[in-house]
Amino acid sequence: MNQPGQNLAKMRDTAPLVQNITNYVAMNVMANIILAAGASPAMVHAREEAAEFTALAQTLTINIGTPSPAWAEAMVEAARTAHRLGKPWVFDPVAVGATGYRRDLGARLLACKPTVIRGNASEILALAGMQTAGKGADAADSVDAAKDAARDLARQTGAVVAVTGPVDVVTDGARMAEIANGHPMMPRITALGCSLTGIVAAFLVDHDPFEATVAALAYYALAGEMAGEAKGPASFQTAFIDALYGMSPEALNDGARISLR
């Protein structure tokens, strides 16, 4: 497996255009985080243009945090276009188990063959059709409880599955990695998880999806550690974005705590 700093350096050299069909809460935070990392965000979600724009972008993210019928159709059309054109796309199944509408939309998007599925433990369990204690967008299940479901989901869909939490887990159904970086303040910032989906997408360009996802999660979590001396959530967000911007590939290689299982 390559050192994660190689993936970071390549992403910045490429500066990929990342199309994001995400939720109202996440748009501004996500755009700033993608820019700080070194990629180029585009928040394009109208059904009239979403699929057409997917053909221009290098990678795509879809987040079902605040779905509506028009957005749902735009998501499906964009995902189908990405799959047809062989472009990587990342599915963020926010609160997928909360309502029948979200479960149906999640199933439709899974059929469009995401490259990566990134969610918390409760979301991954729900997407895999298993019992979950999750409430809304919050995880009420442990990452350990979702490991088997993540592996099974990866084998069923062909996607890399990332379960994020205190220790992140990434699997492609055969390989599994754990990333032990991070900071307890990270869940206190609205849309930080949603924004991670955009970082994963940026790292995917021209890389093995498993290695790219591991590198993206390590980069993100290490930035959280670097911002950890902040006094509260507001200053943490600022320090976190600065850490993403300032982190060198060498610092990522030195600081990433990645274990292959």
Side-chain angles (χ1 to χ4, degrees), residues 48-156:
E48 292 80 1
E49 65 170 353
E52 182 180 355
F53 195 89
T54 302
L56 301 175
Q58 288 164 281
T59 184
L60 166 72
T61 76
I62 292 177
N63 173 305
I64 63 169
T66 53
S68 67
W71 276 28
E73 295 310 311
M75 291 173 185
V76 172
E77 291 172 10
R80 286 174 178 164
T81 299
H83 178 60
R84 177 173 56 83
L85 296 177
K87 297 190 176 190
W89 74 277
V90 185
F91 177 31
D92 191 341
V94 177
V96 70
T99 65
Y101 181 64
R102 288 174 189 262
R103 288 190 291 274
D104 290 345
L105 178 55
R108 292 179 69 194
L109 289 166
L110 279 186
C112 299
K113 300 294 183 182
T115 311
V116 178
I117 301 164
R118 190 220 63 83
N120 63 39
S122 296
E123 290 161 351
I124 297 304
L125 284 164
L127 201 61
M130 299 181 68
Q131 196 70 29
T132 171
K135 296 179 179 180
D138 295 329
D141 301 277
S142 70
V143 172
D144 280 344
K147 283 182 180 178
D148 289 342
R151 186 184 286 110
D152 291 344
L153 186 62
R155 289 170 177 167
Q156 291 166 12

Side-chain angles (χ1 to χ4, degrees), residues 161-249:
V161 178
V163 189
T164 50
V167 175
D168 301 328
V169 169
V170 179
T171 182
D172 62 1
R175 296 172 289 180
M176 180 172 283
E178 294 183 355
I179 300 99
N181 299 95
H183 191 275
M185 191 77 74
M186 296 178 78
R188 300 275 182 178
I189 311 298
T190 298
L192 227 59
C194 300
S195 302
L196 170 57
T197 300
I199 299 300
V200 173
F203 271 65
L204 282 176
V205 177
D206 297 327
H207 282 120
D208 170 76
F210 175 79
E211 293 195 6
T213 303
V214 171
L217 267 60
Y219 166 62
Y220 208 75
L222 182 58
E225 288 184 10
M226 292 177 170
E229 294 184 4
K231 294 180 180 179
S235 56
F236 181 90
Q237 179 173 316
T238 299
F240 176 73
I241 292 174
D242 285 348
L244 290 172
Y245 177 79
M247 191 187 308
S248 68

